[in-house]
Amino acid sequence: MTNMIYQVHILLKDSEPKIWRRVQVPTDLLLEDFHKVIQTSMGWTNSHMHQFISDQKFYTPRITDDEMWNELYNVDYENIKVSKLLKEEGDEIIYEYDFGDGWQHEIVLEKILPVDQKKQLPVCLGGKMNCPPEDVGGTWGYAEMLRILRQPQHKEHKNYLEWLGGSFDPGHFDLEKVNKLLQEKDFGCIEL
């Protein structure tokens, strides 16, 4: 499927309140670039390994010296387009980031849209909530961090604030900033 636009909903699984983004990408976007779009729109820093999971296969960059690589389950995603995994509205895949923290994102193809000559892709249409900080310990660690930040008298409160650079607003989401970052990055973006 070429010359179409995918509208995709990205939900950080097990987040409460829900942390999500809605993006539009070209159907011919490579998975390695889709990874960058997810990283940028969610607010991650691309500091850890990742994979896409579809039909019990793991689509990931090939690590040549990895003895655990199993071609029955792992697929080198080089040159694979997002349209190989998402084909019809309602299709879902999982994007996992940081295998230690285990951040799983549910990705749903909401709409397949015709080309819009005026639109530069990728673009983020909306979202809710701030992305958890890197290395916070997954959903459990993030919930614990938020609990401690709500208690200024807690013995770990000051340590968390220092680690976070002084403050953290879990409800903050800056759509304009996300789109500026998406426009600055090299995704093989195309103007349709």
Side-chain angles (χ1 to χ4, degrees), residues 3 5 18 29 72 80 83-84 89 93 138 147 165 170 192:
N3 295 329
I5 296 172
K18 299 295 182 198
L29 188 69
L72 290 175
I80 294 179
S83 58
K84 178 176 172 72
E89 291 180 5
I93 59 174
R147 184 183 69 76
L192 299 172

Side-chain angles (χ1 to χ4, degrees), residues 13-121:
K13 291 179 76 170
D14 302 320
S15 60
E16 194 55 48
K18 299 295 182 198
I19 301 169
W20 62 270
R21 306 293 184 261
R22 178 170 285 116
V23 299
Q24 289 183 344
V25 298
T27 56
D28 63 352
L29 188 69
L30 295 174
L31 286 178
E32 65 185 291
D33 290 326
F34 190 38
H35 154 71
K36 294 174 193 173
V37 169
I38 296 167
Q39 287 284 303
T40 303
S41 62
M42 289 300 292
W44 298 116
T45 61
N46 198 17
S47 303
H48 301 280
M49 295 177 68
H50 67 279
Q51 62 189 359
F52 293 91
I53 305 169
S54 177
D55 295 326
Q56 300 178 349
K57 293 212 180 263
F58 302 92
Y59 295 81
T60 185
R62 171 85 185 207
I63 301 172
T64 54
D65 59 350
D66 183 358
E67 294 178 14
M68 299 300 290
W69 184 272
N70 181 334
E71 294 195 15
L72 290 175
Y73 303 105
N74 294 324
V75 177
D76 181 359
Y77 74 19
E78 184 177 12
N79 298 319
I80 294 179
K81 297 176 183 178
V82 68
S83 58
K84 178 176 172 72
L85 303 185
L86 297 171
K87 298 178 180 171
E88 297 179 13
E89 291 180 5
D91 283 356
E92 296 182 24
I93 59 174
I94 298 295
Y95 168 78
E96 184 176 7
Y97 173 64
D98 184 352
F99 301 157
D101 280 2
W103 298 110
Q104 290 205 350
H105 305 70
E106 179 183 270
I107 298 175
V108 177
L109 176 56
E110 291 183 317
K111 295 181 185 177
I112 301 173
L113 303 165
V115 170
D116 181 346
Q117 298 293 336
K118 299 173 190 162
K119 187 171 283 196
Q120 181 175 350
L121 298 177

